[in-house]
Amino acid sequence: MVLEYFQSQIKYTNFSFLEGPILRTPLNPLEHDGHTYWSNRSAHLTGYRNQFFIICEIDIVTKNRHSYSMNAATPYTTLASSLDQFIRELDKSPLTIQAYRTDVQQFVAWLAEHDATITQAQQVKRSHVNEYLRYLANNGRAGTTRSRKLISIQRFFSHLVKEGIIPHSPAATVDRPRKERKPKHYLQPDEYTKLLAAAGGHPRDFALLQLFLQTGIRVSEAAAICVFDLDLEHKMLTIHGKGSKERIIPLEKKAFQALKSYLTVRPKTGDQHLFLNYQGEGLSIRGMRKIVEKYVKRSGINKKISCHGLRHTCATNRAALGMNAFCLKTLLGHERIATSLEYVHIGTEELRKPMEDTSL
């Protein structure tokens, strides 16, 4: 049955100006009944009216499909093509995807510079990853940066293992660099009051700053908000967070009033983004960052405050006013409660009242 199938695949092929008695062709895979067969074609030439034809004899050998994928060159075994496939399958935000791409590309570039023979994922060893991390440390890269890059590399090779391209990850057992704790920059109440006052004459900018301060949303989340995400009737806002996760935030009166005032002057345009630029298009992440920088400078604040600094401002001040870590986790969209707990600073005086109230 199988032989009859392969015989049906043989066709006489017209070749002109061929020389020599035998033409050898390489192994070629053929699929039948869910199995892969490999044919070694021995082609004999015959002539008719100055034209040549090939008569093929086929030797059939079965090949294990999975062992082939681990040993033979497949479309995704080169580091460059493997990276492209990895990026296409990432279910992350655009900024996170770009960070993964950059981290792995830098590692691949370092490999090419230090050992040009390494072109395939199978050739990368654990020692290469460790040497790369030492290289970064010697060039002054912080432990946080090195740890993030290692996470990207580990995820990349884990993807290759999952796809059957490599048997195991060379980065799986590499120790994570120790992260340095950096101080979080945030504004005190008198400082963020000045910031809001500086934007008081611009409804869009004032609403954006209020939203950052009152909700602590990320700049990427603010840029993704559309008009239909804002529920004025119930005073709710739908946030499209990291990893395609959505959360609904109840708006307190200051943010709600600021957004409502902005909507009265928002340009009428087909773009459904809530915050628009001067061209009537959705305000970009870069545009939002420039707005924050402008008003920080205009209000005379000397701290290094960015959009993320306003997120820290929201979390730190709300924690100081009594919001617990579980509420902060829901509000800010943290994946782990430990991240929210970092904002809860309990001093001696703050501890005194609950100690008295819960006296045994």
Side-chain angles (χ1 to χ4, degrees):
M1 176 68 71
V2 174
L3 183 58
E4 292 175 358
Y5 168 77
F6 281 108
Q7 289 174 340
S8 68
Q9 302 298 310
I10 302 172
K11 295 181 180 179
Y12 285 98
T13 305
N14 189 325
F15 286 83
S16 298
F17 310 106
L18 292 177
E19 296 181 2
I22 295 178
L23 176 66
R24 301 288 293 184
T25 59
L27 287 173
N28 293 285
L30 293 172
E31 298 283 343
H32 181 62
D33 290 341
H35 299 284
T36 301
Y37 297 89
W38 293 79
S39 61
N40 187 3
R41 301 186 180 183
S42 179
H44 302 273
L45 295 179
T46 184
Y48 178 70
R49 292 185 179 179
N50 297 325
Q51 295 185 349
F52 296 89
F53 301 87
I54 298 177
I55 302 176
C56 299
E57 297 176 357
I58 302 177
D59 299 325
I60 302 171
V61 181
T62 60
K63 185 80 173 179
N64 183 279
R65 184 177 300 177
H66 296 287
S67 65
Y68 171 73
S69 66
M70 296 293 293
N71 298 316
T74 66
Y76 303 129
T77 51
T78 66
L79 287 169
S81 57
S82 297
L83 176 57
D84 289 339
Q85 177 72 4
F86 168 64
I87 292 298
R88 279 196 296 271
E89 297 184 9
L90 268 181
D91 183 20
K92 297 289 183 181
S93 68
L95 289 178
T96 303
I97 291 175
Q98 182 58 40
Y100 273 113
R101 180 191 293 275
T102 301
D103 289 341
V104 179
Q105 279 179 337
Q106 288 175 352
F107 174 59
V108 172
W110 178 86
L111 283 173
E113 183 179 348
H114 288 76
D115 190 345
T117 62
I118 300 177
T119 58
Q120 297 183 332
Q122 296 92 329
Q123 298 171 309
V124 181
K125 307 299 181 185
R126 183 176 185 271
S127 58
H128 293 130
V129 182
N130 279 319
E131 288 175 15
Y132 178 62
L133 293 177
R134 282 195 293 271
Y135 163 80
L136 293 175
N138 293 335
N139 281 271
R141 307 306 292 270
T144 303
T145 302
R146 286 180 279 130
S147 179
R148 191 201 72 232
K149 291 183 180 297
L150 175 59
I151 291 172
S152 299
I153 294 169
Q154 287 175 330
R155 179 145 189 176
F156 169 62
F157 283 109
S158 295
H159 165 79
L160 300 187
V161 173
K162 182 180 177 181
E163 294 296 315
I165 296 174
I166 57 176
H168 61 272
S169 169
T173 59
V174 175
D175 295 331
R176 294 266 178 91
R178 183 173 297 178
K179 298 180 180 180
E180 301 90 349
R181 284 192 171 272
K182 292 184 178 181
K184 290 181 170 65
H185 300 283
Y186 61 92
L187 299 177
Q188 297 292 344
D190 61 321
E191 293 173 322
Y192 63 71
T193 300
K194 291 180 181 178
L195 184 71
L196 291 170
H202 199 298
R204 183 201 64 183
D205 297 352
F206 183 80
L208 180 62
L209 294 177
Q210 276 285 20
L211 194 62
F212 279 137
L213 288 168
Q214 300 297 342
T215 67
I217 61 174
R218 302 175 179 91
V219 62
S220 58
E221 295 171 342
I225 297 174
C226 292
V227 175
F228 50 79
D229 293 322
L230 180 59
D231 185 349
L232 294 176
E233 181 181 355
H234 300 95
K235 299 182 180 180
M236 308 287 279
L237 180 64
T238 300
I239 301 297
H240 306 277
K242 295 173 66 175
S244 302
K245 295 179 181 179
E246 289 187 356
R247 65 186 188 277
I248 299 177
I249 297 177
L251 294 171
E252 49 74 57
K253 59 183 179 182
K254 293 180 181 178
F256 174 75
Q257 190 57 50
L259 289 170
K260 191 175 179 181
S261 299
Y262 163 59
L263 287 176
T264 61
V265 297
R266 179 182 176 274
K268 305 298 180 183
T269 176
D271 196 304
Q272 292 299 304
H273 287 93
L274 179 61
F275 295 103
L276 304 176
N277 59 22
Y278 68 95
Q279 294 178 326
E281 300 172 348
L283 190 60
S284 66
I285 292 175
R286 182 180 180 184
M288 291 184 175
R289 286 172 174 163
K290 291 177 71 174
I291 288 172
V292 172
E293 291 172 2
K294 178 177 70 174
Y295 289 108
V296 166
K297 184 177 181 180
R298 186 174 296 180
S299 57
I301 297 172
N302 296 320
K303 293 180 179 178
K304 188 178 180 181
I305 296 296
S306 61
C307 296
H308 211 68
L310 298 185
R311 178 175 168 86
H312 294 322
T313 299
C314 171
T316 303
N317 284 279
R318 284 194 177 277
L321 292 170
M323 182 175 282
N324 61 50
F326 294 100
C327 290
L328 284 174
K329 180 179 182 295
T330 303
L331 175 65
L332 301 174
H334 287 151
E335 190 171 340
R336 298 180 298 115
I337 190 66
T339 307
S340 307
L341 283 169
E342 294 178 3
Y343 295 101
V344 182
H345 309 290
I346 301 178
T348 304
E349 291 305 315
E350 288 83 359
L351 190 60
R352 186 180 302 279
K353 187 177 186 303
M355 287 291 290
E356 291 292 341
D357 293 343
T358 59
S359 179
L360 305 181

